[in-house]
Amino acid sequence: MAKQRVLTGITTTGTPHLGNYVGAIRPAIAESQRGEFDAFFFLADYHALIKSHDPAMVHQSSREIAATWLALGLDTDTTTFYRQSDVPEITELSWILTCVCAKGLMNRSHAYKAAVQANEQSGEDPDFGVTMGLFSYPILMAADILMFNAKKVPVGRDQIQHIEMARDMAQRFNHLYGDTFVLPEAVIADDVAVLSGLDGRKMSKSYGNTIPLFLPEKKLQKHINKIKTNLLEPGEAKDPADSTVFEIWQAFATPEQTAEMRQKFADGIAWGQAKKDLFELINSQLAPARERYEAILNDGEYLESELKKGAEKARAQAAIMLAKVRKAVGLAAFK
Ligand code: TRP
C-alpha cells in the first residue's frame, strides 16, 4: 500500500528557536526517519514575502531553516524537501484557486481580520498596510497542499482555519470541474510540548522572547540565564509546574532525568544551578548538530544541491497535477 502523504511548510521569516525545534522540527524529522509517511517539507518563501519586505532577512532565514533541517538529519531521499519558490507551478495553481475561492471566505480569515481590527483600534483605514498577499494568503497555502494531494497536514492550532479553507476550495473545485483534489485534514500534535520563552509567555518570534536553536555555546548559556524565574532562594522548594526552566528541561530530558529534576526542585535547588543543569543538558544534545549546522550554513553548494533535488521531485508531481487542473478548467491546446 502506498504510504500516506503528509505535507507541511515552514515560513521563512526568522531563525529557528527551541520552541520550533521541540514543537515541530524534532517530531517531523523523527517521523521522516521512521519512514512511515511520504513526507513533503518545504520552505514557504513565497509566504515569507507576505510578512517581510526585507530581502536579506528572507534570504538568510531560508538558508538557516534549510541548514537546520539538514543538520538535524532530515533524510532527503525518503522525504521531499524543497523551496516553494523553486516550484512555480504552485503560484499558477494559486491563481486558478483564486478564481474559485469566494471573497467572503477570505474576509473571514483570522490573519486578515486581526490586521483590520488592529487598524480600527488605532483609528487607521481598515485596510492600512494590508496587501493582497495577506488577504489571499490562505489561497497560496491551499495551492501548496492541494498540488500534492496531501491528506494530512501537521500544523499549529493557529493554522487550522487555513486547512479548512483549503478543504473548502478543494470541494468547490471538485464540484465545479469534477473530482480533482484530495480533501486535506489538519493534524495537531497534542503530545509535543509548547515551550514558554524567556519572559514566560509562549516562545515566539513575535514576542522577541526566543532562544535560538543553534546559538554558540556562550550565547546559549547567556540566554538560558535570562529565563525569568521567581524570587525563591536556594533551599526553598520550587514548583515545577510554574517554571519555564523545568518546562524546557522536560522537553529535552529522559523521564528519569525529569524525575530527578522534580526532586531537586522539591529540595530547593538554586535557580542558578537549575539553569546551569539546563544549559548542560541542551548543549550536550545540540552540540553535534550545531557543528554540522555551522558547516552547512556556509556550504551554499550543498544546500543548493539538496534543495534542487527536492524541487525536481516536487515539480515532477506538480506538473502532472497542473496538467490535470488546466485541462479541467478549459485551458488546453487546440490540437
Ligand atoms: N502558513 C504556515 C505557517 O505560518 C506555513 C505554511 C505555508 C504551510 N504553506 C503551508 C503549512 C502548507 C502547512 C501546509 O505556519
Side-chain angles (χ1 to χ4, degrees):
M1 212 181 80
K3 290 179 186 171
Q4 194 168 56
R5 171 81 39 94
V6 170
L7 172 145
T8 200
I10 311 109
T11 306
T12 55
T13 45
T15 298
H17 55 70
L18 293 186
N20 299 140
Y21 173 68
V22 166
I25 308 174
R26 186 173 64 183
I29 290 178
E31 203 167 87
S32 84
Q33 290 170 344
R34 284 198 299 276
E36 284 163 47
F37 297 104
D38 173 14
F40 276 51
F41 299 117
F42 67 94
L43 306 174
D45 52 356
Y46 284 141
H47 276 98
L49 302 185
I50 296 169
K51 297 191 180 163
S52 169
H53 293 151
D54 176 348
M57 205 269 260
V58 168
H59 187 79
Q60 180 63 15
S61 173
S62 289
R63 186 183 269 267
E64 288 176 356
I65 295 172
T68 296
W69 284 65
L70 293 170
L72 288 167
L74 179 74
D75 184 336
T76 58
D77 290 318
T78 56
T79 63
T80 303
F81 183 56
Y82 56 101
R83 228 173 351 210
Q84 191 184 27
S85 64
D86 280 339
V87 187
E89 289 83 359
I90 292 170
T91 41
E92 186 173 342
L93 178 59
S94 184
W95 176 254
I96 296 173
L97 294 175
T98 299
C99 297
V100 300
C101 178
K103 174 173 175 286
L105 187 66
M106 296 299 95
N107 288 342
R108 292 194 288 278
S109 158
H110 297 319
Y112 168 67
K113 277 187 8 190
V116 169
Q117 206 179 20
N119 282 333
E120 281 167 350
Q121 272 164 8
S122 56
E124 292 283 358
D125 182 272
D127 278 331
F128 176 74
V130 175
T131 64
M132 288 306 294
L134 175 65
F135 185 64
S136 47
Y137 172 118
I139 306 180
L140 178 56
M141 190 157 154
D144 291 331
I145 298 167
L146 302 182
M147 178 65 98
F148 299 105
N149 279 325
K151 178 100 185 103
K152 301 279 179 188
V153 186
V155 284
R157 289 190 186 282
D158 62 322
Q159 299 292 318
I160 296 177
Q161 186 195 35
H162 296 149
I163 311 299
E164 281 165 3
M165 289 175 160
R167 271 179 89 85
D168 257 42
M169 287 176 237
Q171 264 165 331
R172 176 99 186 115
F173 189 100
N174 288 351
H175 174 73
L176 285 169
Y177 297 114
D179 226 7
T180 307
F181 295 121
V182 166
L183 304 186
E185 284 162 31
V187 183
I188 306 296
D190 289 321
D191 54 339
V192 300
V194 176
L195 292 193
S196 304
L198 298 176
D199 58 359
R201 290 186 293 172
K202 179 184 171 205
M203 191 182 290
S204 158
K205 186 175 89 82
S206 46
Y207 294 145
N209 65 356
T210 67
I211 303 177
L213 178 58
F214 289 131
L215 284 175
E217 221 170 89
K218 280 252 150 56
K219 285 201 171 160
L220 176 61
Q221 185 149 29
K222 271 197 172 159
H223 272 71
I224 289 176
N225 283 335
K226 275 191 276 182
I227 298 172
K228 194 173 144 200
T229 54
N230 56 29
L231 297 172
L232 292 174
E233 298 286 341
E236 293 185 274
K238 297 173 177 67
D239 181 7
D242 178 37
S243 165
T244 301
V245 174
F246 189 84
E247 183 197 85
I248 301 180
W249 175 272
Q250 192 163 21
F252 284 85
T254 61
E256 294 74 37
Q257 289 172 318
T258 297
E260 284 167 28
M261 187 53 84
R262 191 178 292 283
Q263 188 57 50
K264 289 186 185 175
F265 266 58
D267 295 343
I269 187 172
W271 284 122
Q273 185 61 45
K275 287 176 174 180
K276 190 158 169 281
D277 291 356
L278 179 62
F279 162 72
E280 274 157 18
L281 178 71
I282 296 182
N283 191 50
S284 67
Q285 279 186 32
L286 294 181
R290 180 169 57 215
E291 216 170 287
R292 286 194 296 275
Y293 173 77
E294 277 157 10
I296 293 173
L297 197 61
N298 294 310
D299 190 347
E301 205 71 52
Y302 172 71
L303 281 170
E304 219 31 59
S305 75
E306 286 290 350
L307 287 166
K308 281 280 145 64
K309 181 173 82 180
E312 261 171 46
K313 288 195 273 180
R315 287 194 77 178
Q317 304 224 5
I320 297 168
M321 176 57 94
L322 198 55
K324 200 166 147 190
V325 168
R326 281 173 147 262
K327 187 156 172 251
V329 300
L331 303 174
F334 293 127
K335 61 171 186 61

